[in-house]
Amino acid sequence: MATQTLSTAPAPAGGDAHLKVRRRGPIAWARQHVLLVVTFLVFVFMLLPNGVILWMSFNSPEGKFNYTWHKFSLDAWKNPCSSSTMCHSIGLSLEIGVVATILATILGTMIAFAMVRHRFRARSGINALLFLPMAAPEVVMGATLAALFFNTIGPGAMGFWTITIAHVMFCISYVVVTVKSRLAGMDPTLERAAQDLYATPTQTFMKVTLPLVAPGIGAAALLAFAISIDDYIITVFTAGNSETFPMYIFGSVQRAYPAQIDVIGSLMLLGTMAVIAVSQVLNQMRAARKK
Amino acid sequence: MTTLTEAPAPVEERAPDRKPRRNWTPWALLLPGLLWLTVFFLVPILSSVSASVQTGDYDDGFKLTWHWANYHDAIADFGPQYYHSLVYSLLTTIVCLALAYPVAYFIAFKGGRWKTLLMALVIVPSFTSFLIRTIAWKTILADNGTVVHTLASMHLLKITTALGWTVGNHVLASPAAVVCGMVYNFLPFTILPLYTSLEKIDPRLHEAGADLYCSAFTTWRRITLPLSMPGVIGGTLLTFIPAVGDYINAQLLGNPNTTVVGQRIEDLFLRQTNGYPVGSAMSVVMMVGTLVIVMTYIWRAGTEDLL
């Protein structure tokens, strides 16, 4: 993109040939491409921390905190689990993420079906109840849930299940929104056609409706998982004595910040990018085979 | 747990109830999820309203004594925190909008076949935990880093320090670092809705504007901007609402003079003994305050249907 515009810039562009005189030189070029320059700078701003994380993962920190570059080393990549507390916390985060995603996806999909496919009263009230968890500040939800758990089961019993309950609570709304948009965009005649061909309601649902909504449900589940695994504020209020990965990172700022955290941060990015790349290639291969 | 036991009951009624008007199917589908939200969202919020006027301690329990003085404590003692929360989140929203608009505009109208890739680049960073990415700013803005050196050599650091944005010769542990971290964290939330609404605009409208002798700016002001208003409102709300409650950036990139409401609430709930009523009162103040600001904004913008 950049090179393309670079080469065409000095010549008077045919499309938007205004009366302005086009000057040459880098400053004149930048002025004519303000939008491109701003976009480029914002992208640098957005991607810089990821670059820094990857860079710092190869650092051998001088002190306890891996904040400044000292010297190159592969130590952190060779044994990413040198701190067992960290890997325990990652395990806990993954477990909570999976359980919360499954529960939130089931509950949210059911609500989405009811909202799109059925008419009933109190619809606006239900919409408000679904909207509020997305709009309420996280601290408030965390603090109020903490109070509820304190008073009912006591701080000692808080841990995996209280965190999971909280995560399901704030993921449901996102699942509903995602599945609803998929359901609303679906062609209702397909289901009618299935019923015309003597499919039972169950068959229609399993063979027609579900496969058509599946991408929406999948996207919703991914979103829920991403939100759950990255949540800090609500988690810290509901965690009791357990420690999830975000809580471990937050605590590390006070204790010691090993390069291993940057390794995990890089792995999260590279892993997801690899998954996207593979699925893109598979999609293209499938498309090519169909032709 | 209650949701599991209560859910199947209406399902059995589904078949016989089919013919009459009253259809139980939607309620069977809605009930488990709505119960979950009621028990773990609505009830806690309402009970915290009650907790905010209670007195007592952990040993003897808290009693509802209509102790409105908790609100006095929650507001009078934490004036700077409310001020910081409000100013930082408003600043973040404005800066995010100013940065996101050109980016979303560029991707939507000049992106061409790179559109998908550019939008992916907006989302890709968030695959890494936001805490690790926020802490990476500690490296970027470090005292011996490029940013501080550049600002210092241009004598900009003196100006920002005089304005109170930075402290001494540091960029870290200052209001500027907090807002920078917040802008960084919430920028994708502004770009995504803006892009969605800009992308829907027919580019031929721009040509029509040019044909009618509008300057590029007038075309933008009279055509593009009004059509992209849903994105502007959605983007600013998606940024402002989480920004008000955010205290991660203030904690990680700020100093003791940049504390926000969230830090105090966490402190009162998790570390102070008997801080629970005043903490609840602060939550209520914050929630009501956010709601009033958001509702006024939506009402002024004239898009009630957004909800």
Side-chain angles (χ1 to χ4, degrees):
Chain A
M1 187 71 227
T3 48
Q4 198 187 347
T5 18
L6 244 172
S7 54
T8 53
D16 49 359
H18 288 296
L19 295 172
K20 284 177 202 155
V21 182
R22 300 237 161 186
R23 295 210 178 90
R24 282 153 200 274
I27 294 170
W29 181 86
R31 194 182 289 167
Q32 283 155 16
H33 295 86
V34 184
L35 212 52
L36 178 71
V37 174
V38 171
T39 307
F40 177 75
L41 291 176
V42 172
F43 268 106
V44 170
F45 175 70
M46 287 197 290
L47 296 170
L48 189 63
N50 288 89
V52 169
I53 291 165
L54 189 61
W55 175 248
M56 293 305 282
S57 70
F58 293 106
N59 185 27
S60 154
E62 212 169 357
K64 277 174 158 181
F65 295 93
N66 186 30
Y67 293 156
T68 40
W69 180 256
H70 179 226
K71 69 170 197 267
F72 181 85
S73 128
L74 282 172
D75 290 350
W77 281 90
K78 277 182 191 151
N79 44 355
C81 259
S82 66
S83 149
S84 65
T85 2
M86 182 178 86
C87 285
H88 271 294
S89 69
I90 294 174
L92 181 66
S93 277
L94 288 173
E95 278 171 41
I96 292 168
V98 170
V99 177
T101 301
I102 293 170
L103 286 172
T105 310
I106 293 171
L107 296 175
T109 306
M110 283 163 71
I111 295 179
F113 265 95
M115 299 295 278
V116 177
R117 289 302 165 82
H118 296 276
R119 315 206 138 270
F120 49 87
R121 278 185 286 170
R123 180 177 285 270
S124 56
I126 292 168
N127 260 327
L129 182 59
L130 288 168
F131 173 76
L132 277 173
M134 294 194 282
E138 262 192 85
V139 213
V140 173
M141 288 193 282
T144 53
L145 258 182
L148 175 82
F149 291 138
F150 266 139
N151 292 336
T152 49
I153 60 170
M158 285 161 77
F160 179 85
W161 281 108
T162 48
I163 302 174
T164 309
I165 285 171
H167 284 198
V168 172
M169 181 271 286
F170 65 74
C171 285
I172 287 180
S173 305
Y174 292 95
V175 173
V176 174
V177 171
T178 318
V179 177
K180 236 170 92 178
S181 65
R182 177 81 193 179
L183 263 176
M186 236 173 73
D187 190 353
T189 51
L190 290 168
E191 284 169 308
R192 231 171 287 152
Q195 285 177 339
D196 285 348
L197 295 165
Y198 299 105
T200 63
T202 324
Q203 282 175 324
T204 314
F205 182 78
M206 295 305 288
K207 301 229 160 148
V208 180
T209 317
L210 205 56
L212 282 170
V213 197
I217 298 175
L222 276 179
L223 184 66
F225 185 74
I227 298 173
S228 161
I229 204 130
D230 211 18
D231 181 77
Y232 171 76
I233 297 181
I234 293 184
T235 311
V236 78
F237 279 99
T238 50
N241 289 323
S242 353
E243 192 178 49
T244 62
F245 185 51
M247 288 171 72
Y248 172 83
I249 304 169
F250 204 84
S252 304
V253 178
Q254 266 105 45
R255 296 187 301 253
Y257 196 80
Q260 273 80 357
I261 293 181
D262 289 312
V263 173
I264 303 294
S266 310
L267 280 176
M268 286 165 104
L269 179 76
L270 299 175
T272 349
M273 278 167 69
V275 170
I276 293 174
V278 167
S279 70
Q280 285 287 338
V281 169
L282 285 179
N283 269 344
Q284 287 195 345
M285 275 164 66
R286 208 176 299 155
R289 211 178 298 152
K290 269 185 190 160
K291 276 177 192 168
Chain B
M1 270 300 103
T2 44
T3 52
L4 283 174
T5 48
E6 288 191 40
V11 179
E12 291 158 14
E13 292 172 20
R14 187 180 148 183
D17 264 5
R18 213 144 226 197
K19 280 276 145 65
R21 266 297 144 72
R22 207 131 172 81
N23 186 358
W24 290 102
T25 322
W27 291 106
L29 289 169
L30 287 169
L31 203 62
L34 293 186
L35 255 174
W36 197 290
L37 286 179
T38 310
V39 173
F40 299 117
F41 173 74
L42 213 55
V43 170
I45 296 253
L46 294 177
S47 74
S48 84
V49 177
S50 136
S52 67
V53 285
Q54 291 177 358
T55 44
D57 53 58
Y58 282 123
D59 301 325
D60 303 329
F62 293 94
K63 284 190 193 71
L64 184 62
T65 51
W66 301 102
H67 191 69
W68 292 102
N70 285 339
Y71 277 93
H72 177 263
D73 294 347
I75 294 169
D77 295 354
F78 303 109
Q81 278 78 30
Y82 290 107
Y83 175 75
H84 290 153
S85 281
L86 189 66
V87 169
Y88 294 163
S89 51
L90 283 177
L91 261 177
T92 302
T93 312
I94 293 165
V95 176
C96 274
L97 185 63
L99 293 179
Y101 206 101
V103 173
Y105 189 96
F106 181 87
I107 301 174
F109 295 120
K110 314 267 161 107
R113 62 199 181 93
W114 300 97
K115 258 185 202 175
T116 329
L117 180 74
L118 288 171
M119 279 320 285
L121 277 180
V122 173
I123 305 164
V124 154
S126 34
F127 292 144
T128 302
S129 168
F130 81 106
L131 285 168
I132 307 182
R133 286 183 292 126
T134 308
I135 292 166
W137 283 99
K138 275 184 186 277
T139 305
I140 301 169
L141 302 176
D143 288 345
N144 47 8
T146 325
V147 176
V148 171
H149 278 302
T150 316
L151 287 176
S153 66
M154 289 165 80
H155 296 282
L156 282 173
L157 216 49
K158 280 179 195 151
I159 300 171
T160 53
T161 303
L163 288 168
W165 296 355
T166 53
V167 182
N169 290 321
H170 317 289
V171 175
L172 268 183
S174 72
V178 176
V179 174
C180 168
M182 288 171 76
V183 169
Y184 168 74
N185 269 303
F186 298 119
L187 198 52
F189 295 99
T190 327
I191 295 181
L192 285 172
L194 263 178
Y195 171 76
T196 322
S197 70
L198 280 169
E199 221 261 329
K200 281 187 201 142
I201 299 173
D202 191 338
R204 281 175 299 184
L205 288 171
H206 295 163
E207 286 163 33
D211 286 347
L212 295 165
Y213 299 104
C214 270
S215 68
F217 178 73
T218 316
T219 311
W220 174 77
R221 194 172 61 85
R222 303 283 293 268
I223 299 172
T224 320
L225 185 62
L227 286 173
S228 64
M229 270 326 263
V232 173
I233 294 161
T236 43
L237 281 178
L238 275 183
T239 309
F240 179 74
I241 294 170
V244 179
D246 174 85
Y247 62 88
I248 304 300
N249 290 287
Q251 178 83 34
L252 293 175
L253 303 171
N255 62 30
N257 294 321
T258 62
T259 48
V260 294
V261 180
Q263 277 166 295
R264 285 290 151 267
I265 296 180
E266 195 204 64
D267 197 41
L268 284 165
F269 266 88
L270 300 181
R271 279 178 282 279
Q272 305 263 330
T273 44
N274 308 330
Y276 158 65
V278 178
S280 296
M282 283 186 85
S283 307
V284 173
V285 170
M286 187 173 177
M287 197 165 49
V288 172
T290 315
L291 216 62
V292 167
I293 295 173
V294 167
M295 286 302 164
T296 317
Y297 179 64
I298 293 176
W299 173 64
R300 285 298 294 262
T303 45
E304 284 92 346
D305 54 309
L306 205 80
L307 304 178

